[in-house]
Structure formats: C-alpha cells, structure tokens
Amino acid sequence: MEEQIDFIKEAGKKNTTDVSPFSRTMISKTLDQLELADHALVLEIGFKSREYLPFLFKKATGISYYGNHISETLVVAASSAPALKINGGTAQFSHAKEDGKLDFGNNFFDGCFTVNTIYFWKDPVSHLKEIYRVLRIGEKLSLSFIDKKNGAELPWTQADFNFYDINEVKTFFKKAGFVNIEVRQMTEEVTGQDGKGMIRPFINVVGKR
C-alpha cells in the first residue's frame, strides 16, 4: 500500500519576530517556487499537517487550499479540526487514491506542490500526468525530494522506498508533459536524533503545464 511520510521537523527553536521557523523548511521552500497570486487554488499531494497552512495563507489573499492524502485517518482528523481564518484562506481535505487519480476537473488548480511523496508512487509518470491534467495552463508543480545518493543512507528509510536521482525525476516530468523544467539544489534546517540542528540537502523540481 502506498504511504506518505513526514520527514520535516521544525528547525530548532530559535526565532525572531520577523522570520518564521517555517521559512527554513523543505515545505516552505517548495511552496515559495509557486509564486501564488490572490485567490489561487492550490493542491498539495500528501499533506503532512495543518500547522504550515498559516504560512501558506499569508502568501496571498483568499487562497483555497486542497490537501490530498492516502491516509483516511489523517484526512478525517484534518477535516474535523477548527477552520483556519487567515487572510481569507480556506482549506479542505480529501482521501487520495493509490493510483494517483484525482477527483478534480481539468484545468482546476493554480499550483500544486508535494514534498517527500515520490518515493511511494508506483508509477511516477502516471501520478505526474494526473497532476498535469488538473493544473491550469501555464501553472506550476513544485516537487521536492531527497535524491538517491543521500536518501539511501538515511537510517529511517524502508525497503519499499524508491529513491531517484535528478535526471530520473526530470525525465518523469518531461514524459508527463511538463515544460520549462527547473531544478534547484536546496537545504533545510532540521533537528537530528541527537537533538542538534543540522543542514540537510534536497532537490526541488518545478515544471510548468
């Protein structure tokens, strides 16, 4: 069965009144690549939690967020929590299908993002084609992952993880129809098992419909 996993831990506890800790995380940096406008409809594949939605809603006015996840338990928990009222943003959650099919019409979303999910997709091209279908023309998918050379050595990875290198993921994007593909090597601040802060590299790939 397909899984989603949360690899993101908020970095340390140091903060200022001007900079949110989320500005340093994999999720926030993935979101930044979408350059969202007011009243954008945004899809997240494999949402992790609701706690970073305030960061998203502050990016523009009236954002409509749609979180999709394979775990029905997570969807029920997120849906039953109190509504977030920030900058006119709204959030709703839905149960994902294992084959990646999405219950949305063509040309529906103004952006899509996903973090640390590609390892569990049985057919990455099929999943990406479905995301391509629901994006409006000219809009972007921002996908982030830990690449093969770094991911295979992580102590918490399991036998059913499929790690990829940059060229493999770029090929998946091209086969799905995405154009203007951009690759960025980024880092995030995380807390290690010893409780100390550390810098972890990851890859962000953005493609346009």
Side-chain angles (χ1 to χ4, degrees), residues 7-14 24-26 29 146 150 153-156 186-202:
F7 296 159
I8 307 302
K9 291 184 178 180
E10 191 173 295
K13 293 300 176 185
K14 56 185 178 180
R24 299 185 293 267
T25 68
M26 194 172 183
K29 292 184 178 184
I146 297 173
N150 292 307
E153 298 178 357
L154 292 173
W156 33 256
M186 297 183 171
T187 61
E188 66 167 340
E189 296 181 30
V190 298
T191 302
Q193 293 181 339
D194 58 2
K196 295 181 180 179
M198 59 181 290
I199 303 297
R200 182 161 61 204
F202 68 93

Side-chain angles (χ1 to χ4, degrees), residues 55-68:
F55 175 87
L56 168 62
F57 289 156
K58 289 176 182 178
K59 286 188 164 296
T61 300
I63 287 178
S64 296
Y65 166 88
Y66 295 74
N68 192 254

Side-chain angles (χ1 to χ4, degrees), residues 87-114:
N87 224 14
T90 61
Q92 56 182 284
F93 305 88
S94 61
H95 188 215
K97 300 176 181 178
E98 290 193 34
D99 61 3
K101 296 296 183 184
L102 298 167
D103 292 327
F104 301 101
N106 297 342
N107 309 308
F108 189 82
F109 289 103
D110 300 300
C112 175
F113 69 103
T114 186

Side-chain angles (χ1 to χ4, degrees), residues 107-127:
N107 309 308
F108 189 82
F109 289 103
D110 300 300
C112 175
F113 69 103
T114 186
V115 173
N116 285 326
T117 55
I118 194 172
Y119 325 114
F120 308 106
W121 295 351
K122 294 176 182 177
D123 182 353
V125 174
S126 177
H127 280 256

